[in-house]
């Protein structure tokens, strides 16, 4: 199964999921997306910055003893689920959803898929 197919599968798993983006925190780039409608590059760049800032803050709060690998951000209009790979700290998924329904379970599914993707991604470098 290709990366694009995996992202589509994850997006379709969550009702109201509008976007799943796979990115790299080191380069601050979104590498692949799955979405209902096209997202402008500026919006993808903002999501990448949000992920970088979120995990930078998580790392500072957690200190050297622990690392936060997921975050759920609720706003009145949407829920953003961001997960960072446990095997490659630079890989992340950012998911935009219409509601927070099952957000914690969705984050767990996204983390499992991301860790699988990251292992393949690291092997292909």
């Amino acid at each position: 199964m290709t990366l694009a197919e995996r992202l589509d599968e994850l997006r379709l798993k969550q009702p109201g999921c509008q976007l799943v983006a796979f990115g790299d925190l080191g380069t601050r780039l979104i590498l692949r997306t799955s979405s209902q409608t096209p997202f402008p590059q500026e919006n993808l760049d903002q999501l990448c910055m949000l992920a970088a800032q979120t995990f930078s803050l998580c790392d500072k709060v957690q200190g050297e003893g622990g690392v936060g690998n997921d975050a759920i951000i609720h706003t009145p209009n949407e829920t953003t689920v961001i997960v960072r790979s446990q095997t490659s700290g630079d890989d992340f998924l950012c998911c935009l959803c219409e509601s927070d329904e099952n957000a914690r379970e969705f984050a767990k599914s996204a983390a499992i898929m991301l860790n699988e993707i990251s292992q393949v991604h690291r092997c292909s470098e």
Side-chain angles (χ1 to χ4, degrees):
M1 186 178 287
T2 68
L3 177 58
E5 291 169 334
R6 302 285 312 264
L7 298 179
D8 287 342
E9 176 185 43
L10 182 63
R11 181 176 58 81
L12 295 172
K13 232 185 227 187
Q14 179 70 6
C17 185
Q18 301 168 358
L19 170 76
V20 174
F22 172 71
D24 183 296
L25 292 169
T27 60
R28 296 196 179 192
L29 291 172
I30 299 293
L31 303 173
R32 181 77 59 174
T33 63
S34 169
S35 64
Q36 294 176 342
T37 59
F39 272 73
Q41 187 61 47
E42 309 85 58
N43 293 19
L44 297 175
D45 293 343
Q46 289 174 347
L47 287 175
C48 199
M49 289 302 294
L50 175 64
Q53 291 169 345
T54 298
F55 290 124
S56 176
L57 181 59
C58 285
D59 292 348
K60 286 178 184 172
V61 170
Q62 295 284 332
E64 292 182 27
V67 178
N69 287 318
D70 63 40
I72 299 173
I73 303 165
H74 302 280
T75 66
N77 298 327
E78 66 189 9
T79 297
T80 304
V81 176
I82 309 170
V83 295
R84 174 172 49 181
S85 174
Q86 293 177 351
T87 58
S88 171
D90 285 341
D91 292 346
F92 74 93
L93 287 177
C94 185
C95 310
L96 297 181
C97 303
E98 293 175 349
S99 74
D100 62 356
E101 182 182 337
N102 301 319
R104 178 58 42 208
E105 289 302 314
F106 183 57
K108 288 178 186 176
S109 294
I112 290 168
M113 180 177 284
L114 177 60
N115 287 324
E116 292 168 2
I117 290 169
S118 292
Q119 288 176 344
V120 171
H121 184 242
R122 289 178 71 194
C123 291
S124 65
E125 290 180 342

